[in-house]
Amino acid sequence: MALPRVLILAGGKGTRLGPLLGGLPKPMAMVGGRPFLAHLIERLGAAGLTDVTLSLGYQADCIIGHFGERHGGVALRHVIEPSALGTGGAIALALAGQGDAPWLVMNGDTCFDIDYHAFIACWRARPAHLAMALTELPDCSRYGRVVVRAGQVIDFAEKQPGAAGLINAGLYLLTENMLRPFGLPPHYSFETELLQAHCAALQPSAFIADGYFIDIGVPDDLERARRHMPLRAPGAG
């Protein structure tokens, strides 16, 4: 069976990172001498996921100019938001007309080392339902906690300082048709206005993994990625 296409949400400004970006868009933050986005693409290529679409917005030309239409063995397409659409709107724009074709969707500022093929198998066990990748952290206060029962996401708990538990790792398997019944506007948050607001209807499958996880959206974590993120050799595939 064919592998899903991949969508990376790479339109973020990185306002909270300020001077650490050196004027670059957030996915182009330098880690190990290369853009963070390059590391994500290389990990996908190593897993055989070689058909990638980049959802772009802020400084799209910077990203296109760096990567072009191929990085290593990975073919790259680009979808540019006409204006900021939020994570949900960006996904809907990129997947327009794709129907029931499966897509692996991921954030361009988050690295989560998981077994992509095991995640795909999790989704194929319940293909009518969205699948979410989760990981456990000792402190979920930045993200909020995901509540799981019998392999299914059933709720999202409020952020609580110091609380341990499972978090949404920003990695999904879904189809365009899963988004359509909810009648959401062109601009919306995938996390709050779809996942949290319609969790009972979506019945997301939970895929829990313990691989390396980093979200570079705040200065401390970008610096942590620069110090400790496991790096692959340049190139993909």
Side-chain angles (χ1 to χ4, degrees):
M1 191 177 293
L3 293 173
R5 291 173 64 183
V6 180
L7 174 65
I8 303 179
L9 302 177
K13 247 184 197 185
T15 305
R16 290 178 293 180
L17 296 176
L20 289 176
L21 290 177
L24 296 170
K26 182 164 57 169
M28 297 296 288
M30 299 304 288
V31 174
R34 304 200 307 287
F36 186 79
L37 182 57
H39 297 287
L40 304 186
I41 296 170
E42 289 158 14
R43 282 166 161 77
L44 292 166
L49 295 159
T50 57
D51 189 341
V52 173
T53 295
L54 303 178
S55 173
L56 305 175
Y58 178 69
Q59 290 195 36
D61 289 347
C62 172
I63 297 174
I64 294 171
H66 182 89
F67 289 103
E69 297 181 352
R70 179 166 294 275
H71 182 67
V74 178
L76 301 174
R77 297 178 176 88
H78 313 104
V79 176
I80 301 176
E81 300 172 79
S83 59
L85 297 175
T87 48
I91 293 170
L93 176 66
L95 270 57
Q98 294 297 306
D100 279 326
W103 283 75
L104 175 69
V105 177
M106 60 195 296
N107 292 323
D109 60 0
T110 303
C111 177
F112 187 24
D113 274 340
I114 69 169
D115 182 339
Y116 290 112
H117 295 276
F119 185 38
I120 293 165
C122 170
W123 177 79
R124 285 179 174 154
R126 299 178 74 226
H129 303 276
L130 178 150
M132 293 176 58
L134 311 176
T135 193
E136 187 165 4
L137 293 183
D139 183 353
C140 299
S141 56
R142 182 178 161 198
Y143 303 95
R145 186 168 56 87
V146 180
V147 182
V148 174
R149 181 183 300 151
Q152 181 180 317
V153 175
I154 61 168
D155 202 1
F156 295 84
E158 294 293 329
K159 296 179 181 180
Q160 297 177 351
L166 294 170
I167 67 158
N168 177 359
L171 192 65
Y172 315 98
L173 272 156
L174 52 84
T175 69
E176 181 203 10
N177 285 345
M178 291 177 186
L179 311 179
R180 289 185 173 179
F182 303 101
L184 292 163
H187 179 292
Y188 73 94
S189 164
F190 184 81
E191 296 79 8
T192 59
E193 295 174 77
L194 181 68
L195 288 181
Q196 295 181 29
H198 300 284
C199 184
L202 286 166
Q203 299 181 31
S205 297
F207 180 82
I208 301 169
D210 61 0
Y212 177 84
F213 173 83
I214 191 75
D215 172 351
I216 63 166
V218 297
D220 284 352
D221 283 344
L222 175 55
E223 293 288 15
R224 187 160 60 90
R226 287 171 169 171
R227 291 193 303 269
H228 303 302
M229 181 171 156
L231 305 178
R232 302 185 61 85

